[in-house]
Amino acid sequence: MTSQLSLTTDESIAVFRSLADIPFITFPTRLDRMLLVVCRTGEIAADIDLERKRMGECSVMVLRPGHHIGSCRVSTDFDGFFITVTQEKLNTILPSLQYVIPYSLKYNSNSVIEMTVEEQENLTMIYNMIRRKIREDRPFTSKALASLFEVLFYDALGIYASRSEQGVRKTRREELLSEFIDILEKNFKTERAVSFYADKLFVTPKHLSAVLKEVSGRTAGEWIDNRVILEAKLMLRTTGMNVQEISSALNFSNQSFFGKYFKHLTGTSPRDYRSKLSDN
């Protein structure tokens, strides 16, 4: 029997008992999805971004897309689990960037966190619920699983958040990104000009984009576009609003411009995106 537990047929989110069972990760590799690892006993050692990382008993590791893993060794007494989530799926189950992004910055330099016994037991409890639920075949199972995964990720994120509040200081560049995210969350539906956000932060648009690119891998314009598109996708996915209503809610001058903007950034029209959702 395979040790994979997969929530969706396209493997956008899946749970594995063994690293060897993950079909889309071979070493060396550059991650194209988020990887969450919980080690209950044993040890994992890996070369991550050319730096040797080790996680032992009662620890959790979170790696965002883009990390390079050169090699990985899992001890024979390892007991734990691996969860992989594509960025698209992560955006769907964790849409609020103002909560996710500031803390996820810590994953780059603090990818391995030691847990308390209680924290490990909480993650393991949710994991075991997912294992049982994923084998069920009855109405609303997929929705229940999605909720459990959301709880699991917020719980893991809470571990990182609690550590970051214990004397870990942000750099000025990280602070600028966090402040930008806060302003973006409040204004992205009405403001898409980089200059608007730069003025709020008392920096030039060029400086803002350069700092954000260095810290997060995205320019200010890319952050704005990604947030608007994410919201548009969520509205197409979860509301009964038509394209014209969504266009107006996101402050586009007309439906045609919104359609061109959406297609330019996603490769498909809003109607086709919603149509594909109903086909799945």
Side-chain angles (χ1 to χ4, degrees), residues 18-186:
S18 168
L19 182 65
D21 289 332
I22 307 179
F24 32 76
I25 295 183
T26 56
F27 301 106
T29 187
R30 186 171 296 280
L31 291 177
D32 63 353
R33 61 196 71 203
M34 179 169 278
L35 174 65
L36 185 150
V37 184
V38 171
C39 179
R40 292 185 285 200
T41 60
E43 181 184 79
I44 296 179
D47 293 318
I48 301 172
D49 299 330
L50 304 179
E51 182 179 350
R52 195 67 170 172
K53 297 281 188 179
R54 285 182 173 82
M55 62 184 306
E57 181 178 347
C58 208
S59 62
V60 59
M61 176 170 66
V62 178
L63 296 176
R64 295 188 302 152
H67 281 290
H68 181 270
I69 306 178
S71 64
C72 187
R73 182 187 62 80
V74 181
S75 66
T76 56
D77 61 341
F78 171 80
D79 178 51
F81 54 91
F82 305 80
I83 297 180
T84 62
V85 190
T86 63
Q87 190 65 54
E88 177 70 15
K89 191 67 178 180
L90 190 64
N91 287 343
T92 301
I93 63 175
L94 296 177
S96 185
L97 293 178
Q98 70 183 106
Y99 297 117
V100 176
I101 296 302
Y103 292 128
S104 70
L105 286 173
K106 299 300 177 185
Y107 298 163
N108 287 324
S109 56
N110 301 286
S111 55
V112 179
I113 296 291
E114 292 185 2
M115 296 183 288
T116 65
V117 173
E118 182 181 4
E119 288 170 337
Q120 177 188 267
E121 289 176 347
N122 287 340
L123 289 177
T124 301
M125 177 184 66
I126 302 167
Y127 163 71
N128 286 331
M129 291 175 67
I130 291 172
R131 290 188 65 195
R132 290 193 295 269
K133 181 65 65 176
I134 210 163
R135 294 186 174 92
E136 293 181 0
D137 184 19
R138 59 186 184 186
F140 304 111
T141 293
S142 63
K143 292 185 180 298
L145 280 167
S147 296
L148 286 172
F149 273 103
E150 185 174 353
V151 172
L152 181 62
F153 271 89
Y154 272 124
D155 205 51
L157 191 68
I159 295 172
Y160 280 81
S162 64
R163 300 307 189 275
S164 70
E165 292 167 357
Q166 296 173 3
V168 178
R169 297 184 61 184
K170 294 179 182 178
T171 67
R172 174 54 192 148
R173 293 172 183 269
E174 290 175 340
E175 288 178 350
L176 186 64
L177 174 58
S178 294
E179 292 169 4
F180 169 77
I181 295 294
D182 288 340
I183 298 172
L184 179 63
E185 281 296 316
K186 295 180 178 72

